[in-house]
Amino acid sequence: MDEMQEIIQDFIIETKELIENLDQDLVALEKIGTDEDSKELLNSIFRAAHTIKGASGFLGFTQLVDTCHKTENLLNKLRHGEKEVTPVVMDVILDAVDIIKILLSKVENKDEDEYPLEEILAKLDDILEAKEDVQPEKAPPVMDKKEEEITSPQEPEEQVVQKKEVKGDKTIRIDTDRLDDVMNLVGELVLERNRLLRIVKGLEEKYEDDDDVLPLSENGARMDLLTTDLQMAVMKTRMQPVKKVFSKFPRMVRDFARSSGKEIELQMEGEETELDKSVIEEIGDPMVHLIRNSVDHGIEPPDEREKNGKSRQGRVTLSAYHEGDNIVIEIEDDGRGIDSEKIKLKAVEKGLIGKPEAELMSKKEALNLIFAPGFSTAEKVTDISGRGVGMDVVKTNISNLNGIVDIESEIGKGSRFILKLPLTVAIIDALMVGVGEEIFAMPLASVIETIRVAKGEIKTISDKEVISLRDGVLSLVRLSNEFDIETSEDLDRLYVVVIGLAEKRVGVIVERLYGQEEVVIKPLGDYLSNIDGVSGATVTGDGKVVLILDISILIQKQIDAKSLMTNSIL
Amino acid sequence: MLDSSAKILVVDDFSTMRRILKNMLKQLGYENTDEAEDGNQALNKIKSGSYDFIVTDWNMPNLDGLELCKAVRADAATKDIPILFVTAEAQKENVVTAVQAGASNYIVKPFTAEVLKEKMEKIFG
């Protein structure tokens, strides 16, 4: 019985993978249509349905067998040229795939209730029995086919080659829980390593000339290197290509284009770029929001595009690439762009910012307003209606991953959303800072620079502390005020850590800088999870528990305070 | 009947299916099983190892069961290895093709270990 459960688990995982590819293949198929080039693609689609049916039969999932069986029949007709690939046919096939997904999730949840299949089976039957079948003997004349072969043989062949490369032989499947365990253990090891290094350093200073200390230092250094290597190696085992997330988007964009009457092409680049599994799991939702936003509000209807001298077909491009220790994911559209002036108007209208502030805002700052909570668009503002729905959620999700989101847009040309994400979420580089008796960790990714300032350089403008930094004015927050910490003494020299989120910059006043440390993020317990400005905790080399600051909240608070201030002036 | 120490190769592109098949063979007392995920991989394995029995799916990418069967029969070193075809209901009419290509027998999905045993008894007497 146990063996059976394991087989069913395998079946679920493997079938999910098949379905993921299936969605992508089907959308690709619709683009190519029925011709010689689509043959390989059709074969692989057919095989997927066939395979799911076969295994389902053994496992007694009759509903899956029935749905797959009819779908397979239809695919077989497409394969043999007895039916043509039309949007209507594709709609039904995609619907069937959706039902297969539902049935699979029922298997996964051990839900044994019957799912009503009448509708989908009837739809499949209708198509199967439809009269407008293409007669095989009336296939296009051979000459035409040859011409097509000459003009477009490249693409599908490439796709086939890619497919083959993906199939590796040297892989094993591992329960992700086990990988998580390993990752946690490595996290603990990193903490112990940090601690060991601290102790070794103390001993080195104390017993400089002792012969026994030298080997200990050497050993410590090697441990340090090995731990870092181990951490990298374990991280690699958790890496997955971003393709895993990207693969569901062609279907989504296709469905949207079908239902809205827009013509949209989705391009994807850098799908092989790898990211930590946990990041992969978390970026799906924000990306769905952003892509939906692009196709819904960015891309214009075909007629409007034509009128403006653009191609009727709009384009959305997803790309992923490495940039240092970060992964960058961009979502770009060639639609109508976002009018920053309208955003400002709306933000003022909503009371998010004051009028004088709006006037002073740069275009970039204005665009970033769409991520502000409360910038919803219940009322219609023609060009930008709907923009902002869920956008603050996008930002929160990305911030939770210690990532940042940025936006660029040009009216009439399009918009680009840029997500910068860390390679992993479990271990980050942090700047350790001190205020009073307390130590805090600031994610290094958000730290722009640190400056030493004299007390006198800090000015107060309408109750707010600022310093002039190069050409501009930087608003400041005192960490001691944020967390009600008693500062030890009135220091003459303080440090300002400049943190940034997209275009926003805020200076955080601290008393001491300890330097950079690799920290393992430990979640706070449920009862502490709602503390504003803290995203987690970690243990330092000397065994102290240190809170990790939530940069996005610190910056957001500053923005809120600022707009409150501007409003009160009004 | 085939000796329980016999080396059996299970060929299918879907790992769940391979597992199901291996599990059934185990129930019948055959633990010395190996697997391949398509015809090409199977052929390489067959050429380098001595298998007593091959159970193969029909529809697979790269090299399908039929081509695999022909290739095995064409090689003097492997031509006598019994091959059992696992086919779907829809392919039932095509079994003639399989037999012509050298298949020893076929079995229609889904089946039980009992049915598999009967088929094997037919092949191995």
Side-chain angles (χ1 to χ4, degrees):
Chain A
M1 204 56 212
D2 239 11
E3 173 82 16
M4 201 57 197
Q5 277 311 318
E6 268 181 46
I7 290 180
I8 290 174
Q9 281 313 313
D10 266 10
F11 169 76
I12 292 166
I13 295 169
E14 220 183 354
T15 308
K16 271 189 186 163
E17 277 168 17
L18 271 183
I19 293 175
E20 237 170 61
N21 289 331
L22 202 57
D23 258 345
Q24 238 178 347
D25 284 352
L26 284 168
V27 176
L29 172 71
E30 190 175 28
K31 251 182 222 164
I32 304 174
T34 322
D35 68 13
E36 279 302 297
D37 296 336
S38 62
K39 212 162 179 179
E40 188 60 32
L41 207 51
L42 263 167
N43 277 341
S44 110
I45 295 168
F46 172 83
R47 202 157 44 228
H50 183 73
T51 303
I52 298 172
K53 186 183 88 172
S56 301
F58 278 98
L59 300 169
F61 305 137
T62 48
Q63 290 213 305
L64 268 172
V65 174
D66 294 346
T67 314
C68 289
H69 179 67
K70 287 247 159 73
T71 313
E72 185 191 320
N73 283 351
L74 180 53
L75 288 167
N76 206 25
K77 289 205 165 178
L78 294 178
R79 197 161 69 130
H80 292 128
E82 292 163 32
K83 282 249 173 245
E84 257 184 303
V85 177
T86 63
V88 180
V89 170
M90 290 310 292
D91 277 346
V92 175
I93 296 178
L94 289 168
D95 279 354
V97 172
D98 284 343
I99 301 285
I100 293 171
K101 284 183 202 163
I102 294 173
L103 293 174
L104 189 66
S105 71
K106 282 169 74 78
V107 170
E108 199 172 6
N109 300 326
K110 299 200 170 71
D111 173 359
E112 283 169 13
D113 294 341
E114 295 256 306
Y115 184 85
L117 293 178
E118 296 79 18
E119 196 189 332
I120 187 66
L121 294 183
K123 273 195 205 167
L124 284 164
D125 279 339
D126 284 351
I127 295 270
L128 278 167
E129 286 153 21
K131 290 281 169 277
E132 78 275 45
D133 290 4
V134 180
Q135 300 300 316
E137 54 269 28
K138 280 189 187 166
V142 183
M143 277 304 291
D144 280 8
K145 241 183 214 167
K146 274 211 171 130
E147 247 174 31
E148 270 172 36
E149 267 167 35
I150 293 161
T151 48
S152 61
Q154 295 290 357
E155 237 179 354
E157 262 174 38
E158 267 174 18
Q159 275 171 343
V160 174
V161 172
Q162 270 183 349
K163 269 266 153 65
K164 279 178 188 162
E165 278 171 6
V166 176
K167 280 230 162 178
D169 187 9
K170 291 177 182 166
T171 53
I172 53 161
R173 283 171 201 283
I174 303 176
D175 189 335
T176 49
D177 285 350
R178 291 194 192 172
L179 279 184
D180 288 344
D181 287 347
V182 175
M183 195 64 190
N184 281 336
L185 286 172
V186 169
E188 295 296 333
L189 188 64
V190 167
L191 291 180
E192 290 306 316
R193 185 261 328 251
N194 291 352
R195 192 155 181 194
L196 180 72
L197 289 180
R198 181 90 47 122
I199 295 167
V200 169
K201 209 173 151 205
L203 287 175
E204 273 171 358
E205 279 162 13
K206 218 165 166 184
Y207 308 101
E208 209 179 338
D209 303 322
D210 196 313
D211 281 350
D212 285 341
V213 173
L214 187 66
L216 180 66
S217 315
E218 282 173 1
N219 192 250
R222 274 199 299 278
M223 276 279 290
D224 184 18
L225 269 177
L226 280 175
T227 312
T228 309
D229 286 352
L230 176 64
Q231 189 192 323
M232 276 308 289
V234 172
M235 250 168 67
K236 276 191 188 141
T237 64
R238 294 168 48 91
M239 296 290 239
Q240 289 183 317
V242 77
K243 181 172 191 271
K244 241 184 123 60
V245 189
F246 278 18
S247 63
K248 66 175 170 184
F249 298 133
R251 168 74 194 276
M252 193 184 101
V253 171
R254 180 262 175 208
D255 283 356
F256 179 83
R258 271 283 281 164
S259 67
S260 67
K262 289 181 186 178
E263 292 172 27
I264 305 166
E265 182 196 9
L266 181 70
Q267 285 190 343
M268 299 193 284
E269 288 159 19
E271 291 165 275
E272 66 293 336
T273 312
E274 290 189 325
L275 262 170
D276 189 271
K277 173 183 146 282
S278 51
V279 183
I280 292 271
E281 280 162 6
E282 296 296 324
I283 57 166
D285 284 349
M287 281 196 74
V288 166
H289 264 300
L290 292 173
I291 294 171
R292 221 177 252 165
N293 191 71
S294 285
V295 295
D296 201 359
H297 306 294
I299 303 288
E300 315 89 329
D303 291 342
E304 186 184 330
R305 290 181 64 89
E306 204 163 33
K307 215 174 68 198
N308 294 330
K310 290 175 163 180
S311 60
R312 287 180 66 81
Q313 189 180 48
R315 195 178 57 227
V316 175
T317 310
L318 307 181
S319 46
Y321 55 91
H322 282 268
E323 194 186 83
D325 273 346
N326 290 308
I327 293 280
V328 183
I329 296 179
E330 296 187 356
I331 296 133
E332 191 181 0
D333 68 68
D334 67 348
R336 54 171 73 101
I338 307 170
D339 187 340
S340 57
E341 290 306 315
K342 282 195 178 141
I343 299 276
K344 278 191 206 171
L345 275 178
K346 188 149 187 60
V348 173
E349 204 179 285
K350 291 259 160 196
L352 295 173
I353 50 165
K355 227 175 195 164
E357 198 189 352
E359 269 159 33
L360 292 174
M361 268 189 161
S362 68
K363 184 183 159 195
K364 198 120 205 182
E365 284 173 320
L367 287 177
N368 271 294
L369 282 171
I370 69 170
F371 293 117
F375 189 87
S376 86
T377 45
E379 297 163 66
K380 275 220 160 183
V381 176
T382 44
D383 266 359
I384 51 162
S385 81
R387 288 258 184 203
V389 171
M391 286 303 218
D392 59 325
V393 179
V394 169
K395 201 173 111 175
T396 315
N397 283 347
I398 300 297
S399 304
N400 286 344
L401 292 169
N402 280 311
I404 55 176
V405 55
D406 199 3
I407 174 174
E408 288 168 8
S409 186
E410 205 169 322
I411 299 170
K413 294 229 169 114
S415 311
R416 186 211 307 260
F417 289 92
I418 301 146
L419 310 181
K420 252 186 216 181
L421 300 156
L423 283 180
T424 176
V425 287
I427 299 174
I428 58 164
D429 277 325
L431 176 68
M432 311 302 275
V433 301
V435 182
E437 303 275 292
E438 300 294 326
I439 299 175
F440 292 95
M442 303 175 95
L444 207 61
S446 314
V447 174
I448 313 283
E449 61 179 324
T450 56
I451 1 169
R452 233 179 113 180
V453 296
K455 213 169 90 185
E457 289 176 62
I458 300 173
K459 306 266 179 343
T460 306
I461 301 178
S462 49
D463 287 343
K464 283 289 191 185
E465 286 184 310
V466 298
I467 52 161
S468 52
L469 177 63
R470 291 185 276 275
D471 295 337
V473 175
L474 184 73
S475 17
L476 300 174
V477 276
R478 277 181 194 267
L479 217 45
S480 51
N481 291 350
E482 285 302 308
F483 295 103
D484 278 336
I485 299 162
E486 272 186 42
T487 47
S488 32
E489 60 227 284
D490 198 16
L491 294 168
D492 278 338
R493 290 226 156 247
L494 293 160
Y495 292 93
V496 170
V497 181
V498 184
I499 53 175
L501 195 66
E503 291 297 290
K504 278 281 162 208
R505 298 282 179 271
V506 169
V508 180
I509 303 177
V510 300
E511 290 173 357
R512 296 177 304 279
L513 294 182
Y514 293 105
Q516 185 180 336
E517 194 167 316
E518 223 166 44
V519 303
V520 181
I521 303 176
K522 299 273 170 192
L524 293 165
D526 277 345
Y527 52 98
L528 289 176
S529 62
N530 286 327
I531 299 177
D532 251 10
V534 175
S535 63
T538 189
V539 184
T540 59
D542 53 8
K544 260 193 166 177
V545 174
V546 160
L547 296 176
I548 301 168
L549 296 177
D550 187 333
I551 299 298
S552 64
I553 301 248
L554 279 181
I555 292 180
Q556 192 56 50
K557 269 189 168 175
Q558 190 60 23
I559 298 170
D560 293 349
K562 222 164 107 189
S563 44
L564 215 69
M565 175 184 86
T566 334
N567 280 338
S568 62
I569 295 171
L570 276 175
Chain B
M1 188 60 176
L2 188 60
D3 192 83
S4 64
S5 63
K7 198 169 161 197
I8 305 176
L9 183 66
V10 173
V11 192
D12 198 310
D13 55 329
F14 201 58
S15 92
T16 312
M17 273 304 304
R18 295 198 295 273
R19 205 162 162 184
I20 291 173
L21 286 168
K22 281 169 72 177
N23 200 33
M24 279 188 184
L25 287 166
K26 201 167 132 195
Q27 282 176 37
L28 299 178
Y30 300 100
E31 306 230 5
N32 189 9
T33 48
D34 195 0
E35 50 187 284
E37 61 179 41
D38 65 30
N40 276 335
Q41 212 186 65
L43 207 54
N44 285 336
K45 288 202 168 182
I46 294 164
K47 277 182 178 155
S48 52
S50 50
Y51 291 94
D52 301 303
F53 183 34
I54 301 165
V55 182
T56 182
D57 186 29
W58 191 314
N59 197 337
M60 291 179 290
N62 304 328
L63 191 74
D64 68 16
L66 205 61
E67 296 299 319
L68 169 68
C69 188
K70 284 179 190 163
V72 171
R73 292 290 175 253
D75 187 338
T78 59
K79 70 174 174 37
D80 294 324
I81 305 175
I83 301 178
L84 177 66
F85 261 69
V86 177
T87 76
E89 185 70 24
Q91 281 162 314
K92 234 168 144 184
E93 309 95 62
N94 302 342
V95 292
V96 180
T97 329
V99 174
Q100 276 167 354
S104 315
N105 209 326
Y106 69 94
I107 185 165
V108 178
K109 284 191 267 191
F111 50 84
T112 59
E114 260 323 287
V115 178
L116 178 61
K117 192 179 165 202
E118 279 171 24
K119 285 284 177 187
M120 285 175 67
E121 276 165 355
K122 278 217 155 127
I123 296 172
F124 296 100

